[in-house]
Amino acid sequence: MTEETPAKKPKPARRRQGPRRSEASRVAILEATREELVRSGWRKFSVDSVARTAHASKQTIYRWWPATGSMCVEAAIGLLPPVSQAVETDPVERIAALILPIETVTRAGNGHAVLRGALIAAADEKAAGESWRNWMKANIRAPLRLILAEVAAKQLIRRDYDIDEAVNLLISPAWHNLIVMRAPLKEGFSRDQAGHLIQLLKP
């Protein structure tokens, strides 16, 4: 007669933080970051406050964003709507569409305060600055270069334009308005700036 081996009890399944929960936590942290930027700005920004508001640990925040400024930049960029995909032939309208998302955000709620805080963070912190420059390169600088090349080929503007100068002419007044004047951009800002740029680049 053989003794029966008692059945092994199954080990309790480990609790895993699934992607859905992680994404919800990430969204909550970015929203709390925007609230903190509005409330305190970048120079008095508190990760503790973000953690409390988002019901997240500081360890989680620092694991996802080792550089706090990068979190602020991501929170600001997350507010920007995508560039309109409407087919436009007018170069002024095409260029205006590139910066219209920035104008739109500054005119909605406290969007101008969030962007202002993120811009100052980008100036203060190397990683945050790199994050912001990468966004600018992909969403404004590269498409602007393409549009200007097409317009120059039609001899509507000079061919010897400098892309860095063109970007500065287009967008610098927005940063001045946000950081120095601490105010939203006026309605029609994007089209006005695009028109000024084309005018300045004429042969």
Side-chain angles (χ1 to χ4, degrees), residues 100-113:
L100 183 59
I102 295 172
E103 176 190 330
T104 301
V105 165
T106 70
R107 295 175 56 79
N110 291 311
H112 62 288

Side-chain angles (χ1 to χ4, degrees), residues 8 23 54 61 65 79 82 90 93 104 115 144 153 156 167 169-170 182 184-185 187 191 197:
K8 291 183 179 180
E23 181 57 25
I61 292 173
W65 297 280
L79 288 177
D90 181 358
E93 295 295 343
T104 301
L115 271 178
L144 178 62
L156 298 176
V167 171
L169 289 170
L170 182 66
R182 301 176 65 86
L185 301 177
E187 188 173 1
R191 200 180 192 291
L197 178 60

Side-chain angles (χ1 to χ4, degrees), residues 10-25:
K11 292 182 179 179
R14 287 183 181 178
R15 284 190 173 183
R16 292 186 179 180
Q17 189 182 48
R20 185 176 300 176
R21 185 176 174 187
S22 294
E23 181 57 25
S25 181

Side-chain angles (χ1 to χ4, degrees), residues 126-188:
K126 183 179 179 181
E130 185 175 351
S131 296
W132 183 254
R133 286 189 296 274
N134 287 340
W135 183 88
M136 285 283 296
K137 181 178 180 180
N139 293 275
I140 293 181
R141 194 177 190 276
L144 178 62
R145 182 195 287 275
L146 179 63
I147 295 169
L148 292 181
E150 292 177 10
V151 178
K154 296 176 183 177
Q155 300 183 342
L156 298 176
I157 62 171
R158 63 179 190 267
R159 291 177 178 270
D160 63 343
Y161 68 87
D162 181 282
I163 186 61
D164 292 322
E165 179 186 6
V167 171
N168 285 335
L169 289 170
L170 182 66
I171 203 71
S172 291
W175 307 155
H176 173 83
N177 209 75
L178 286 169
I179 296 173
V180 179
M181 304 307 293
R182 301 176 65 86
L185 301 177
K186 68 175 183 178
E187 188 173 1

